Amino acid sequence: MSCCLGGLVAAALAAGAAHAQTAPSAAANAAPSGPVKLDSLRGGVPLQDSIAIAPARQERDTRPIDRDFVQQPPLIPHTINGYQITKNFNKCMDCHAFNKAKAAGATRVSVTHFRTREGQELDNISPRRYFCTACHVPQTDARPLVDNTFTRARGLR
């Protein structure tokens, strides 16, 4: 019996030695020892430094672009240059408020914007939904910043 056990041990050791010769070394799998160089859209400018950006080209009063995924906030189909949204005034509500949207030919603010986080209905826009441009952005025909394979949600195609 010990002869067979010895043969099994010898075979296991031989297999381990053969694997060790073909397995990548621990050094090859180790994290790089120096800093990792990543390309960024900031072009190497440190985060604490400001960079000049080209002004975005906004489409002017065009048909709204279809949404790409479920629950996507609608895009803004017009320019918003010069629009003021502060704690005391929201220019968007000049056209999109419930009582002004029809006369302005604008889309009314969704009823979801009148609910608190807990679901309570309010008489006015919920403070968490008041700053429109936190979710809604002007639409533009911009090329993607990076290559991607994104496809629209099946139900929206």
Side-chain angles (χ1 to χ4, degrees):
M1 184 80 137
S2 69
C3 145
C4 291
L5 185 57
L8 288 174
V9 170
L13 289 173
H19 177 71
Q21 291 174 354
T22 60
S25 68
N29 290 330
S33 60
V36 175
K37 175 144 178 41
L38 296 175
D39 292 331
S40 113
L41 297 175
R42 293 180 57 84
V45 176
L47 289 176
Q48 65 269 20
D49 296 342
S50 295
I51 58 172
I53 58 169
R57 187 189 68 147
Q58 293 183 8
E59 303 295 328
R60 297 194 59 86
D61 298 337
T62 58
R63 183 185 75 70
I65 295 174
D66 293 333
R67 299 181 201 194
D68 287 319
F69 56 91
V70 179
Q71 299 298 326
Q72 174 186 349
L75 298 173
I76 302 169
H78 57 80
T79 184
I80 59 169
N81 287 341
Y83 274 39
Q84 183 181 19
I85 303 174
T86 68
K87 68 178 186 162
N88 298 319
F89 180 75
N90 183 330
K91 176 68 175 166
C92 302
M93 293 302 107
D94 283 356
C95 297
H96 295 280
F98 256 66
N99 60 345
K100 298 178 180 180
K102 189 172 186 176
T107 304
R108 284 186 308 200
V109 174
S110 168
V111 294
T112 61
H113 290 50
F114 291 83
R115 291 189 194 117
T116 65
R117 203 174 295 241
E118 294 77 27
Q120 176 190 359
E121 295 285 335
L122 302 173
D123 293 334
N124 209 336
I125 300 288
S126 173
R128 71 187 188 111
R129 299 289 185 104
Y130 181 79
F131 293 96
C132 310
T133 54
C135 298
H136 302 277
V137 297
Q139 65 188 24
T140 186
D141 189 18
R143 65 178 181 80
L145 295 173
V146 295
D147 291 332
N148 67 74
T149 58
F150 177 82
T151 57
R152 298 177 94 198
R154 279 188 303 238
L156 299 176
R157 291 184 200 153

